[in-house]
């Protein structure tokens, strides 16, 4: 279900709704059952702390902003998980560790995130709540995380000279039947290597023309893919690591990325400070965009999960449905019949 | 009594045992290769929608056709010609056997119900083919015991004077109604059909005559499908299926006084009207599964939208007729 809200400041208006759940009565009303007071206070406190971390993000430099955003997100995802599951979330550690690149790479993107299989780690716990995929790799590079952010696609491919895992989709609405398509020029790897996550749940066999890969939905297919902030649809490709194929929920993608950047900025200032001051590779721009997207998107995504609907903020006029440009083929037939009757 | 449709499929499996079947299939496939020198007669012969007869007829008329279109139609080579004559007479034998009792009681019927009479009234490619097979015999028996036969037999007994109706009046009635059906197109029925159906069980001369005409249309439709399935069994190993893996959009699923009709958009290459395919549409409670004949076909290709096939299908009933609804209100 989608709800469209008018807003001139989506970040502010998202938090306005989220902060309603810093009031215990609103939390009780949401949970619809009697719970212990400290459980409610943990949710309320986490939301307020999260808001303060997210607000602080905009007031500091890149030297410390990743850590603030990570802490803010950890609080927010804790609050969201608690509300959705109505259960106390037990977490003892991040469930992640970071390894700096061992080769000569000077790229932040080559940092390796180790993902623990421990049941009391944050990553695995939240993954089990928000993702339909319990399968994840032991290690993943930070740049692989960036490759899964649709809005970063073009800059990612330019910076790292490898294909993004996000494919932009054009949705074409026609009277004969809707279809979707991917422009061939948006795919920089060999077409035969393209493998879209959950493709067969949604589409029939694709067709390829000189310009497009044409996708048509199955009559009972489910919807797949994600939407960027602009509303454009993207499909994910699988991430292949050691001949295994993986895909991630968007919340977990940001979780991994924010953990890595927070960890590097906090525990490795000898790497982070020069990176922030003197990066020549263009990676800094990607990191800044990633953080900026996280700042905008994550509160919205958590709110969507809490309310179980997709909330879209727009500054277009709402409440007006204009059908003057639409026509029913039956109306056309009537017009033609009247015209012919008139002539006879 | 087993359904005619079941009997057709049981018999069609026997065709795989025919000694000439594989050779015929290979020759047919050769004919339709783009690189073949015979590919244009392959394409135009198929579009006659008369199984092997389409090719033979075109081959026989190639000089006449090429006078207006030089070099357009090449001929069939000897091996292909002989194989197609065999295939044609195999199918013709089925038609003859199915229709034998009908022709005895209503001789004029032959010119109407035999699918090949219009295009080849003189039976120009006659060669003796006799089918000796249990499944074939069961098919023929089943066909001759089907509802339209019973209707015609009973109406003639009820009103023997019908036999005195001039052959030309029967022919005019049959072909007149057939042309009306074609004129109204795939999605519609002749306006008068509903009124005729409402009065069809009255004991009037008009209603009795209409019952017989409808039964003949029904039988003709049934034979067209049987002929096509047998032809497809000779020329292909697989029956095309339209299902959730290649249906892009369903425009229409409905029923009218003639048939169950389906209109949909598919990416499955469907090239010829008259072909029979298997339709499998998934629905919440039960799937729609039907053997259908392609009645309407629009093919489009563009760089923008790819290749699309908009098809109109008529479902077939237990007697393999695509006019299944035509007899549904007629009491035997």
């Amino acid at each position: 279900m989608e709800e469209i809200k008018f807003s001139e400041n989506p970040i502010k208006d998202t938090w306005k709704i989220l902060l309603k759940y810093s009031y215990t009565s609103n939390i009780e009303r949401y949970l619809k059952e009697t719970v212990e007071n400290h459980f409610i206070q943990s949710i309320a406190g986490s939301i307020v702390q999260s808001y303060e971390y997210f607000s602080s993000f905009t007031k500091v430099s890149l030297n410390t902003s990743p850590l603030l955003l990570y802490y803010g997100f950890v609080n927010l995802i804790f609050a969201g998980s608690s509300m959705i599951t109505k259960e106390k979330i037990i977490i003892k550690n991040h469930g992640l560790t970071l390894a700096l690149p061992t080769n000569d790479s000077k790229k932040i993107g080559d940092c390796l995130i180790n993902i623990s299989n421990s049941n009391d780690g944050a990553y695995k716990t939240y993954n089990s709540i928000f993702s339909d995929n319990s399968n994840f790799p032991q290690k993943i590079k930070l740049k692989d995380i960036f490759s899964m952010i649709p809005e970063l696609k073009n800059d990612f491919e330019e910076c790292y000279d490898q294909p993004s895992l996000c494919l932009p989709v054009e949705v074409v609405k026609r009277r004969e039947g809707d279809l979707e398509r991917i422009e061939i020029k948006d795919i920089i790897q060999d077409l035969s290597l393209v493998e879209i996550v959950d493709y067969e749940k949604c589409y029939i066999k694709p067709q390829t023309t000189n310009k497009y890969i044409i996708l048509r939905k199955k009559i009972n297919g489910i919807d797949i893919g994600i939407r960027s902030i602009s509303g454009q649809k993207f499909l994910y490709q699988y991430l292949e690591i050691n001949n295994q194929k993986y895909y991630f929920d968007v919340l977990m993608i940001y979780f991994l990325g924010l953990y890595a950047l927070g960890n590097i900025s906090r525990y490795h200032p000898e790497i982070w400070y020069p990176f922030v001051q003197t990066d020549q590779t263009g990676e800094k721009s990607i990191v800044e965009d990633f953080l900026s997207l996280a700042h905008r998107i994550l509160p919205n995504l958590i709110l969507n999960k809490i309310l179980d609907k997709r909330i879209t903020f727009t500054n277009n006029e709402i409440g007006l449905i204009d059908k003057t440009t639409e026509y029913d083929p039956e109306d056309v037939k009537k017009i033609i019949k009247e015209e012919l009757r008139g002539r006879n | 009594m087993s359904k005619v449709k079941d009997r057709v499929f049981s018999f069609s499996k026997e065709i795989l045992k025919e000694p000439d079947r594989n050779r015929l299939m290979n020759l047919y496939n050769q004919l339709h290769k783009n690189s073949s020198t015979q590919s244009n007669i392959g394409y135009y012969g198929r579009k006659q929608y008369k199984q092997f007869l389409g090719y033979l007829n075109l081959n026989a008329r190639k000089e006449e056709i090429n006078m207006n279109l030089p070099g357009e139609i090449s001929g069939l080579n000897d091996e292909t010609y002989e194989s197609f004559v065999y295939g044609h007479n195999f199918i013709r034998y089925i038609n003859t056997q199915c229709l034998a009792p009908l022709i005895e009681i209503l001789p004029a019927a032959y010119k109407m119900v035999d699918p090949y009479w219009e295009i080849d009234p003189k039976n120009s490619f006659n060669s003796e083919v006799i089918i000796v097979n249990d499944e074939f015999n069961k098919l023929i028996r089943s066909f001759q015991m089907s509802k339209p036969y019973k209707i015609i037999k009973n109406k003639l007994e009820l009103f023997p004077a019908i036999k005195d109706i001039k052959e030309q009046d029967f022919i005019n009635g049959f072909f007149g109604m057939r042309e009306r059906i074609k004129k109204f197109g795939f999605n519609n029925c002749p306006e008068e059909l509903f009124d005729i159906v409402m009065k069809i069980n009255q004991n009037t001369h008009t209603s009795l005559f209409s019952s017989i005409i409808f039964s003949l249309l029904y039988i003709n439709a049934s034979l067209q499908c049987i002929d096509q399935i047998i032809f497809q069994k000779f020329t292909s190993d697989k029956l095309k299926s339209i299902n959730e893996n290649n249906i892009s959009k369903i425009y229409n699923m409905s029923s009218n006084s003639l048939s169950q009709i389906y209109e949909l958009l598919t990416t499955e290459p469907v090239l010829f009207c008259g072909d029979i395919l298997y339709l499998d549409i998934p629905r919440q409670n039960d799937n729609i599964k039907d053997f259908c004949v392609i009645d309407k076909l629009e093919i489009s290709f563009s760089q923008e939208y790819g290749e699309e096939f908009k098809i109109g299908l008529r479902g077939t009933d237990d007697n393999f007729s695509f006019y299944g609804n035509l007899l549904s209100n007629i009491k035997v």
Side-chain angles (χ1 to χ4, degrees), chain B residues 17-173:
Chain B
K17 299 174 193 167
E18 282 286 312
D20 288 325
R21 188 262 177 182
N22 284 341
R23 189 170 69 95
L24 201 155
M25 188 172 78
N26 290 336
L27 288 168
Y28 173 85
N29 288 334
Q30 277 296 318
L31 194 67
H32 284 274
K33 271 191 183 161
N34 284 337
S35 52
S36 163
T37 53
Q38 302 175 97
S39 63
N40 48 12
I41 193 173
Y43 177 74
Y44 290 112
R46 190 81 157 91
K47 281 183 78 74
Q48 303 298 304
Y49 313 130
K50 288 293 176 195
Q51 298 85 43
F52 295 112
L53 179 60
Y55 301 90
L56 294 171
N57 196 45
L58 217 58
N59 184 65
R61 293 172 49 225
K62 66 177 183 291
E63 276 155 17
E64 173 202 331
I65 294 168
N66 288 337
M67 277 182 66
N68 295 317
L69 298 165
E72 184 66 28
I73 304 288
S74 61
L76 298 171
N77 63 36
D78 291 343
E79 192 185 2
T80 307
Y81 178 82
E82 278 168 23
S83 285
F84 280 22
V85 166
Y86 169 77
H88 166 60
N89 282 285
F90 188 99
I91 296 174
R92 210 171 59 81
Y93 185 74
I94 298 171
N95 293 344
T96 312
Q97 295 302 303
C98 281
L99 292 174
L102 177 62
I103 307 306
E104 264 181 53
I105 56 174
L106 196 65
Y110 185 74
K111 292 180 182 176
M112 294 172 265
V113 293
D114 183 276
Y116 294 152
W117 184 83
E118 253 185 301
I119 187 175
D120 183 28
K122 292 178 185 169
N123 193 16
S124 311
F125 309 100
N126 188 30
S127 139
E128 192 164 349
V129 171
I130 295 175
I131 303 170
V132 178
N133 183 287
D134 265 346
E135 291 299 333
F136 175 73
N137 295 337
K138 288 175 188 171
L139 163 61
I140 300 302
R141 266 201 302 277
S142 185
F143 192 91
Q144 292 170 353
M145 298 286 289
S146 60
K147 185 175 177 182
Y149 264 86
K150 289 177 186 170
I151 290 171
I152 294 172
K153 190 163 170 280
N154 290 350
K155 300 303 179 193
L156 287 175
E157 280 171 11
L158 200 66
F159 197 62
I162 289 179
K163 285 189 201 174
D164 297 329
I165 294 176
K166 288 181 201 159
E167 179 182 287
Q168 195 55 49
D169 289 337
F170 268 114
I171 290 172
N172 290 345

Side-chain angles (χ1 to χ4, degrees), chain A residues 172 174-179 181 203-205 207-212 214 216-220, chain B residues 244-251 265 267 281-284 301-309:
Chain A
V172 182
R174 310 177 302 164
R175 256 183 294 282
E176 301 88 338
D178 297 348
L179 53 82
R181 57 193 189 187
Y203 302 107
I204 63 177
K205 197 174 160 192
Q207 290 179 336
T208 307
T209 70
N210 288 342
K211 282 181 76 175
Y212 299 103
I214 308 284
R216 294 172 217 275
K217 282 195 173 167
K218 283 184 173 174
I219 43 179
N220 290 334
Chain B
E244 63 172 345
N245 294 319
N246 51 38
I247 295 175
S248 177
K249 185 177 169 88
I250 299 173
Y251 299 108
L265 190 69
T267 52
I281 299 177
R283 296 209 298 190
Q284 217 163 4
F301 175 77
S302 68
Q303 295 294 336
E304 300 292 311
Y305 307 129
E307 195 171 43
E308 295 176 311
F309 301 84

